[in-house]
Amino acid sequence: MKKENTARRARTAIIVLGMHRSGTSATAGLLSEMGCDLPTTLMAPHDMNSKGFFESNKITFLNDAILASAGMSWFDLNCFPGSWYSSPKAPEFKEQARAALKDEFGASGLFVLKDPRHCRLVPFWEDVFTQQGVQPAYICIHRNPIEVAASLQKWHGTELLYGQLLWLRHVLCPPSAPMEQFCVIA
């Protein structure tokens, strides 16, 4: 007779961290090919990324709203303010994030979550994952900052120096997760 397992099924989220235009989409696409589930509402391919972004529209919009609630955007040179986490807005956004994870990934045991905005919001998402019983595993993608800045200039008209500073800010705003959870791909 089989012993009934009442424990919650282990879930793992592979989180792809990296600056825009660094290869995060290619990495998320590869992880999908290797068996990780993608979100339900995928961002549509675009001229700048014809194979697709492999990221959730819903979670990207949520991350933009979180950043905006702190007076920021993804192209801001400031670090995300630590004081935001104790603001009245934080619990509201955590509830939205839990709902978004459920909508985008259901009960998937292995899924890939990719959005360059996560570089700014790792502590927020860490808390959501803990509350949802999801174990995050991180892959950090780095591309030469001069190449990233040139790509941002081509696609967004961003000044080269500003693009390099953005790259640096994404790399220097360290997440709170223990470093042994990270795998760096250069």
Side-chain angles (χ1 to χ4, degrees), residues 89-106:
K89 297 173 187 173
E92 296 170 19
F93 279 111
K94 285 180 184 174
E95 185 57 42
Q96 291 176 43
R98 286 189 291 275
L101 280 179
K102 183 179 179 188
D103 292 348
E104 292 297 273
F105 301 105

Side-chain angles (χ1 to χ4, degrees), residues 25-120:
S25 296
T27 302
L30 177 63
L31 288 166
S32 169
E33 292 294 319
M34 294 173 68
C36 293
D37 292 327
L38 289 172
T40 303
T41 60
L42 280 176
M43 188 177 288
H46 184 274
D47 288 344
M48 80 170 76
N49 213 340
S50 61
K51 292 183 180 179
F53 294 90
F54 304 98
E55 82 187 57
S56 162
N57 273 324
K58 184 177 284 193
I59 291 175
T60 297
F61 292 143
L62 176 61
N63 285 339
D64 276 336
I66 293 167
L67 290 168
S69 76
M72 297 182 67
S73 67
W74 75 264
F75 52 88
D76 198 305
L77 291 178
N78 295 313
C79 279
F80 192 76
S83 60
W84 182 90
Y85 294 103
S86 59
S87 76
K89 297 173 187 173
E92 296 170 19
F93 279 111
K94 285 180 184 174
E95 185 57 42
Q96 291 176 43
R98 286 189 291 275
L101 280 179
K102 183 179 179 188
D103 292 348
E104 292 297 273
F105 301 105
S108 171
L110 180 63
F111 58 93
V112 61
L113 187 57
K114 175 260 177 188
D115 178 3
R117 293 154 188 83
H118 279 110
C119 289
R120 307 294 186 94

Side-chain angles (χ1 to χ4, degrees), residues 11-30:
R11 299 179 69 200
T12 302
I14 308 296
I15 314 302
V16 179
L17 293 177
M19 173 60 184
H20 300 263
R21 312 302 305 152
S22 290
T24 56
S25 296
T27 302
L30 177 63

Side-chain angles (χ1 to χ4, degrees), residues 17-19 22 79 119-120 140-143 145 164-175:
L17 293 177
M19 173 60 184
S22 290
C79 279
C119 289
R120 307 294 186 94
C140 299
I141 307 299
H142 295 285
R143 180 180 178 195
Q164 291 172 22
L165 290 171
L166 271 175
W167 179 92
L168 191 61
R169 179 48 64 207
H170 275 70
V171 173
L172 286 182
C173 280

